[in-house]
């Protein structure tokens, strides 16, 4: 028969879908269409129709009869990429075509294919655009390779029903010279991918020209829909089957071969010897064909495209209504997830005003917590974790300070002189456990001397530094040299303490800024540490070390003290020497009178003899160097202890507290924030491009999901039982 021209404007070609616009589903379809236009289907799947089948099973023909779009057809692998047809009602007719490229393509190809855009006024021009798309995708004549790209056809018109239908590459059953094994595997993978979604209605296209056991689509549909709840079997080319094959297909249509809850449908794809028959002509011929008595066993609703449209209308209605509660739940879940991620990203930081507000909020939180930490107030939940003891900053610093003071009293002097230096309670601990623990942990244990050894050391030093002082008197220069030797380890021990405090403060500040900024904003935390915290902490350490150096240098000069304790200690040491003489005299008298030696036996003492003994001890110093050494050692010991107490306090107050602890409280202060320039703020907290895109995506997600919830609750409230989710 001669070929005839068809009128293929949008209205004429899509009237076949009029029956899909069922009266009681129109409201639902309108809402779903509106949500589709907002892009919600990118995140939440809506019910849609997918045409699946083996190669050359008649899928393209069925799609043409449903949508009016004539896809390439033939007896070989012709559908090499997914074709997605989106039907939307509109006052004006419009056809737009674009390519959604496979994300795995190279960037240059992605950009090129994403730019493929075509706009048609008539569907008669589609075949040419299909070929252009195939060429853009790299499909050559005779090529059978399957692609993962999607050709998206958006059709709008007054007679269009909102519907999404996908035509996917047919299942390849075997390889050949022109069909690669890779193509076969991809075809199976693509089919499974597109029919797996639980909201997808599967139109399993099965050709009557082949036995059902030889058609893989039935196996694939049962893998994803084992109960046949969403699969409708469509038998095509029924007019071709004859004899036993016709009887076998009749059994399948009666649901006796493969049971599908949605059942089976039978179609005649074309009029014999008339390739150019119109949809209306095919419909009339099909109705006449099914008047044959062998089809009397089947219900009228199972035969022909008109009945298929009615079945699809009902299936679509049921699927949409059933999906509404699930859609509401998905909208709410995705909105909550997106909102949580947005909250973690913090306030947007796209301009100076928002950046300053963002930094000010960080400063407020930081200042409050660090002030509490330094004051030792741990009410804030930030301090609650027992697994992070460094957060209780004041407690840790006080512990370090006490340990430092104890160590300095116990091991500060480079020489332990009995009764003079290193007289801490550590040395006097009853069982020695505490002293041993500190001593074992000390890398620089001081040497020890008794008084006689110390006097020899003092005498030797006095002789080396003798000046014009009178014999038997104290040389101030000797006192300086002895004191300098005893205190030479003070700076090193104090520096070690300073480092411990600095490390714990550094750890605390790093932890606190992460909590105040939010670890999900890791780029901002990193910039805060790099541009503000680390430089300020390093500067505080340098200033503390300089302050410590000054204190230590002061003590290397001639020792000075105006502490009355100096006189008290000097007199104490002199009295101790006198009392030693008294005790020795009493012991001798006890031994003479009672025949035993005991310092506790003092029943009778000859006072005159005692005075004579003491006087004799005082006048026995014919060795003036020894006498001077006694006086010098007393003064050095008294001076050392007085200055040590001052030095410990000075290190803790001036070095630790003023140079480190006080400084960290000002690192992120409001005063610092107010002085930041726009450039400083941009460098510190400006969002990465990837973060901006993620924020925009999440904000759009929240907006879309909120819109979806609002549409369901306000426009479709009577179609399902809505939850109490707030908008």
């Amino acid at each position: 028969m001669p070929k005839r021209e068809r009128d293929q404007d949008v209205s004429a070609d899509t009237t076949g879908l009029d029956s899909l616009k069922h009266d009681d589903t129109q409201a639902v379809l309108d809402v779903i269409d509106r949500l589709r236009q907002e892009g919600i289907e990118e995140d939440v799947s809506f019910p849609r129709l997918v045409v699946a089948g083996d190669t050359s099973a008649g899928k393209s023909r069925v799609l043409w009869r449903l949508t009016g779009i004539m896809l390439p057809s033939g007896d070989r692998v012709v559908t090499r990429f997914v074709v997605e047809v989106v039907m939307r009602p509109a006052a004006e007719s419009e056809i737009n075509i674009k390519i959604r490229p496979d994300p795995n393509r190279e960037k240059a190809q992605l950009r090129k294919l994403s730019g493929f855009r075509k706009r048609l006024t008539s569907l008669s021009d589609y075949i040419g655009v299909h070929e252009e798309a195939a060429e853009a995708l790299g499909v050559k004549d005779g090529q059978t390779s399957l692609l993962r790209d999607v050709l998206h056809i958006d059709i709008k018109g007054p007679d269009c029903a909102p519907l999404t239908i996908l035509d996917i590459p047919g299942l390849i059953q075997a390889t050949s010279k022109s069909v690669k094994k890779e193509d076969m595997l991809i075809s199976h993978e693509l089919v499974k991918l597109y029919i797996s979604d639980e909201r997808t209605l599967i139109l399993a296209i099965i050709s009557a020209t082949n036995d059902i056991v030889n058609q893989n689509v039935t196996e694939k549909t049962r893998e994803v829909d084992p109960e046949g709840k969403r699969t409708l079997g469509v038998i095509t080319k029924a007019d071709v089957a004859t004899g036993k094959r016709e009887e076998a297909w009749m059994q399948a249509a009666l649901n006796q071969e493969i049971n599908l809850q949605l059942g089976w449908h039978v179609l005649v794809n074309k009029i014999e010897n008339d390739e150019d028959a119109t949809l209306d002509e095919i419909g009339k011929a099909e109705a006449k064909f099914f008047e044959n008595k062998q089809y009397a066993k089947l219900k009228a609703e199972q035969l022909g495209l008109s009945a298929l449209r009615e079945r699809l209308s009902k299936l679509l209605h049921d699927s949409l209504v059933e999906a509404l509660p699930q859609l509401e739940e998905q909208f709410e879940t995705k909105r909550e997830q997106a909102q949580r991620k947005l909250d973690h990203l913090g306030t947007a930081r796209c301009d100076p005003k928002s950046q300053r507000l963002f930094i000010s909020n960080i400063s407020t939180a930081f200042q409050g917590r660090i002030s509490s930490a330094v004051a030792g107030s741990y009410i804030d939940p930030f301090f609650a974790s027992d697994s992070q003891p460094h957060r209780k900053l004041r407690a840790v610093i006080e512990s370090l300070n006490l340990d430092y003071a104890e160590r300095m009293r116990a091991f500060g002097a480079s020489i332990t002189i009995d009764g003079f230096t290193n007289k801490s309670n550590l040395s006097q601990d009853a069982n020695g456990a505490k002293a041993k623990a500190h001593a074992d942990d000390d890398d620089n244990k001081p040497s020890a001397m008794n008084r006689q050894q110390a006097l020899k050391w003092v005498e030797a030093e006095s002789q080396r530094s003798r000046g014009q002082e009178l014999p038997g008197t104290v040389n101030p220069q000797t006192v300086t040299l002895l004191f300098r030797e005893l205190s030479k380890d003070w700076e090193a021990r104090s520096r070690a303490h300073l480092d411990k405090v600095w490390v714990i403060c550094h750890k605390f500040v790093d932890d606190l800024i992460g909590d105040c900024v939010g670890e999900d904003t890791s780029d901002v935390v990193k910039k805060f540490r790099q541009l503000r915290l680390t430089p300020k902490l390093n500067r505080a350490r340098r200033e503390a070390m300089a302050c410590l150096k000054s204190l230590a240098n002061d003590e290397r000069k001639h020792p000075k003290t105006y502490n009355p304790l100096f006189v008290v200690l000097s007199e104490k040491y002199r009295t101790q020497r006198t009392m030693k003489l008294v005790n020795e005299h009493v012991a001798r008298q006890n031994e003479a009178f009672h025949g035993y030696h005991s310092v506790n036996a003092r029943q009778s003492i000859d006072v005159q003899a005692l005075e004579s003994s003491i006087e004799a001890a005082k006048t026995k110093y014919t060795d003036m160097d020894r006498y001077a050494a006694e006086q010098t050692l007393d003064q050095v010991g008294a001076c050392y202890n007085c200055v040590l107490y001052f030095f410990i306090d000075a290190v803790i107050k001036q070095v630790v507290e003023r140079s480190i602890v006080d400084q960290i409280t000002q690192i992120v202060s409001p005063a610092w924030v107010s002085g930041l320039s726009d450039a400083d703020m941009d460098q510190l907290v400006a969002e990465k491009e990837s973060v901006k895109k993620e924020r925009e995506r999440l904000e759009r997600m929240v907006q879309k999901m909120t819109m979806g919830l609002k549409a369901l609750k306000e426009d479709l409230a009577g179609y399902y039982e809505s939850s109490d989710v707030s908008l």
Side-chain angles (χ1 to χ4, degrees):
M1 294 181 67
K3 293 187 177 180
R4 291 165 290 179
E5 294 296 325
R6 303 187 188 124
D7 181 12
Q8 288 197 312
D9 64 17
V10 176
S11 297
D13 288 333
T14 59
T15 52
L17 283 172
D18 285 349
S19 57
L20 289 177
K21 297 193 290 183
H22 202 282
D23 290 341
D24 60 354
T25 65
Q26 188 58 50
V28 180
L29 291 172
D30 288 344
V31 170
I32 295 298
D33 177 61
R34 189 165 74 247
L35 297 181
R36 273 200 178 100
Q37 293 183 46
E38 293 296 333
I40 294 182
E41 200 169 22
E42 297 172 0
D43 309 293
V44 177
S45 64
F46 294 141
R48 63 183 180 182
L49 296 174
V50 171
V51 182
D54 290 10
T55 56
S56 302
K59 298 186 292 82
S60 298
R61 200 76 176 180
V62 172
L63 188 64
W64 169 57
R65 296 187 68 188
L66 282 173
T67 67
I69 298 176
M70 178 63 76
L71 294 173
S73 60
D75 295 329
R76 56 194 180 91
V77 183
V78 292
T79 306
R80 299 173 190 135
F81 44 83
V82 176
V83 177
E84 181 181 45
V85 182
V86 177
M87 318 289 291
R88 295 177 180 172
E92 301 294 331
S93 298
E94 186 178 338
I95 307 170
N96 292 293
I97 302 175
K98 65 181 179 180
I99 292 175
R100 279 209 311 266
D102 176 6
N104 294 321
R105 283 184 177 269
E106 295 180 357
K107 290 184 178 180
Q109 291 180 321
L110 281 172
R111 287 194 296 270
K112 180 181 178 182
L113 293 176
S114 296
F116 184 93
R117 295 282 192 280
K118 297 294 178 180
R119 185 168 184 172
L120 307 180
T121 56
S122 172
L123 289 174
S124 61
D125 300 326
Y126 173 73
I127 291 295
V129 174
H130 188 97
E131 292 174 354
E132 288 184 48
E135 184 178 352
L137 291 168
V139 178
K140 301 178 182 178
D141 291 339
Q143 179 181 343
T144 57
S145 295
L146 298 176
L147 305 174
R148 299 173 186 270
D149 310 277
V150 176
L151 183 64
H152 180 89
I153 306 171
D154 187 27
I155 303 175
K156 296 179 181 178
D159 297 313
C160 289
L163 187 69
T164 299
I165 304 177
L166 276 80
D167 179 44
I168 55 181
L171 284 164
I172 302 174
Q173 300 182 35
T175 60
S176 64
K177 289 184 179 180
S178 60
V179 179
K180 305 174 185 176
K181 182 178 180 180
E182 179 184 1
D183 296 331
M184 183 178 70
L185 296 176
I186 291 177
S187 74
H188 285 249
E189 183 181 339
L190 284 176
V191 169
K192 187 172 182 179
L193 173 66
Y194 278 94
I195 67 176
S196 294
D197 191 281
E198 293 183 356
R199 296 198 181 111
T200 295
L201 297 175
I202 307 169
L203 270 64
I205 308 300
I206 301 173
S207 174
T209 60
N210 195 1
D211 293 336
I212 193 170
V213 294
N214 296 329
Q215 303 195 48
N216 289 335
V217 68
T218 57
E219 186 65 28
K220 287 295 177 186
T221 57
R222 279 185 289 183
E223 286 180 10
V224 299
D225 183 29
E227 298 180 9
K229 290 182 177 180
R230 53 187 181 86
T231 302
L232 174 63
V234 179
I235 302 171
T236 66
K237 306 179 184 179
D239 52 320
V240 180
T242 59
K244 292 184 178 181
R245 177 165 288 176
E246 184 180 26
E247 292 178 6
W249 282 112
M250 184 63 66
Q251 295 300 312
L254 290 169
N255 223 5
Q256 294 178 1
E257 287 290 331
I258 298 176
N259 184 270
L260 299 176
Q261 292 186 30
L262 298 184
W264 291 80
H265 205 91
V266 184
L267 293 177
V268 173
N269 270 21
K270 60 183 179 181
I271 298 176
E272 187 176 1
N273 300 324
D274 189 355
E275 293 289 340
D276 297 304
T278 65
L279 292 171
D280 185 57
E281 290 170 340
I282 294 175
K284 290 179 180 179
E286 185 178 56
K288 185 176 181 180
F289 174 80
F290 287 132
E291 290 176 357
N292 295 332
K293 63 180 180 180
Q294 63 263 38
Y295 289 99
K297 296 179 182 179
L298 299 178
K299 298 177 182 179
E301 64 185 35
Q302 292 182 263
L303 301 173
L305 191 72
S306 296
L308 178 61
R309 292 185 187 123
E310 291 297 329
R311 293 184 75 177
L312 291 178
S313 176
K314 184 177 186 306
L315 288 175
L316 186 60
H317 168 267
D318 293 344
S319 178
L320 286 169
V321 173
E322 182 182 357
L324 293 179
Q326 301 168 7
L327 288 173
E328 180 183 298
E329 183 179 351
Q330 277 190 283
F331 290 160
E332 177 59 20
T333 299
K334 287 186 175 291
R335 183 177 72 168
E336 288 179 352
Q337 291 173 345
Q339 189 60 56
R340 280 197 299 269
K341 291 179 180 179
L342 273 176
D343 293 341
H344 289 155
L345 287 179
T347 308
R349 312 183 298 280
C350 54
D351 56 71
K353 182 178 179 180
S354 61
Q355 289 173 353
R356 192 174 298 279
L357 177 62
F358 181 74
I359 299 175
S360 295
N361 290 337
I362 294 172
S363 172
T364 300
F366 186 94
Q367 202 69 17
R369 290 176 184 171
I370 200 168
S371 297
S372 296
V374 169
S377 175
Y378 309 123
I379 303 301
D380 193 287
F382 174 76
F383 304 106
S385 176
D386 292 333
S387 62
Q388 296 173 305
H390 65 276
R391 290 190 173 187
K392 293 183 172 67
L393 184 62
R394 173 52 64 189
V396 178
I397 291 176
E398 288 303 302
S399 177
L400 291 174
N401 284 340
L402 289 171
D403 182 71
Y404 163 71
E406 197 73 11
R407 285 176 177 274
M408 287 292 285
R409 289 192 293 268
F411 309 112
S414 61
I415 302 173
T416 300
I417 302 175
D418 187 22
F420 287 88
T421 61
N422 297 340
K423 301 188 299 178
S424 166
N425 291 334
L426 291 176
S427 308
Q428 302 167 10
D429 187 79
N431 54 24
K434 189 175 181 183
K436 185 178 186 302
H438 280 73
D440 289 344
D441 190 39
D442 200 280
D443 295 329
N444 187 19
K445 301 180 182 64
S447 57
M449 294 183 183
N450 57 30
R451 183 174 179 83
Q452 294 305 314
Q453 291 171 323
L455 287 171
K456 289 181 181 180
W457 171 58
V458 173
E459 285 183 39
E461 191 61 45
S462 297
Q463 290 172 4
R464 285 193 296 270
S465 59
R466 193 184 299 276
Q468 297 184 19
E469 71 277 7
L470 294 174
T473 60
V474 176
N475 182 354
Q477 182 173 292
T478 303
V479 173
T480 300
L481 295 174
L482 294 176
F483 177 84
R484 189 178 295 171
E485 176 64 24
L486 290 173
S487 62
K488 67 179 183 179
D489 294 335
W490 285 6
E491 183 178 0
R493 292 181 180 277
S494 300
R495 190 183 301 116
H497 171 58
L498 175 60
D499 282 336
K500 291 179 182 178
V501 173
W502 183 84
V503 166
I504 202 68
C505 287
H506 200 311
K507 185 176 182 180
F508 174 84
V509 169
D510 269 358
D511 189 16
L512 179 56
I513 198 66
D515 188 79
C516 292
V517 175
E519 288 296 347
D520 286 330
T521 321
S522 57
D523 58 320
V524 176
V525 175
K526 183 178 180 181
K527 288 179 182 179
F528 258 94
R529 289 169 178 165
Q530 178 182 352
L531 301 176
R532 181 62 181 174
L533 303 187
T534 299
K536 288 295 290 182
L537 285 165
N538 288 339
R539 179 181 176 183
R541 184 178 183 277
R542 288 194 301 271
E543 292 179 353
M545 287 296 183
C547 181
L548 175 61
K549 189 73 174 178
S550 296
L551 286 175
N553 286 339
D554 288 343
E555 301 310 329
R556 289 190 182 99
K557 301 174 183 177
H558 185 75
K560 288 185 178 180
T561 178
Y562 299 95
N563 191 337
L565 183 61
F566 172 74
V567 176
V568 173
L569 289 176
S570 297
E571 184 61 25
K572 175 184 176 182
Y573 298 148
R574 187 187 68 79
T575 302
Q576 285 177 345
R577 288 189 282 114
T578 302
M579 288 305 300
K580 183 179 179 181
L581 295 175
V582 172
N583 289 332
E584 289 175 354
H585 175 78
V586 171
R588 285 195 299 271
Q589 280 203 338
N590 285 331
E591 186 175 6
F593 283 100
H594 304 288
Y596 58 88
H597 184 84
S598 173
V599 295
N600 297 318
R602 299 180 180 177
Q603 296 179 357
S604 59
I605 298 176
D606 186 339
V607 177
Q608 185 176 2
L610 175 59
E611 291 176 350
S612 299
S613 178
I614 293 173
E615 195 62 32
K618 289 181 179 180
T619 58
K620 75 175 184 178
Y621 283 108
T622 55
D623 186 344
M624 290 185 290
D625 286 344
R626 175 52 62 93
Y627 179 77
E630 293 274 9
Q631 304 301 316
T632 300
L633 184 59
D634 289 347
Q635 290 187 18
V636 169
C639 181
Y640 174 87
N641 285 291
C642 286
V643 176
L644 174 65
Y645 300 150
F646 162 78
F647 186 81
I648 291 172
D649 289 346
V651 168
I652 291 174
K653 291 180 179 179
Q654 297 180 38
V655 179
V656 171
E657 295 293 334
R658 185 174 65 191
S659 299
I660 295 183
V661 178
D662 289 351
Q663 292 301 312
I664 67 172
T665 63
Q666 302 304 312
I667 289 183
V668 193
S669 66
W672 168 72
V673 174
S674 64
L676 288 173
S677 66
D678 290 352
D680 292 334
M681 293 189 297
D682 190 68
Q683 184 183 23
L684 189 62
V685 299
E687 291 182 326
K688 292 181 180 178
E689 195 62 32
S690 60
V691 175
K692 289 181 181 178
K693 290 181 179 179
E694 177 66 2
R695 185 186 299 281
E696 291 172 359
R697 185 189 72 81
L698 292 171
E699 288 175 344
R700 178 64 178 154
M701 176 75 77
V702 171
Q703 181 185 7
K704 288 192 296 184
M705 296 304 112
T706 301
M707 182 185 301
L709 285 169
K710 185 176 181 181
L712 294 185
K713 286 183 168 297
E714 294 182 356
D715 300 334
L716 301 178
Y719 287 82
Y720 73 106
E721 186 176 350
S722 176
S723 67
D724 295 329
V725 175
S726 61
L727 298 176

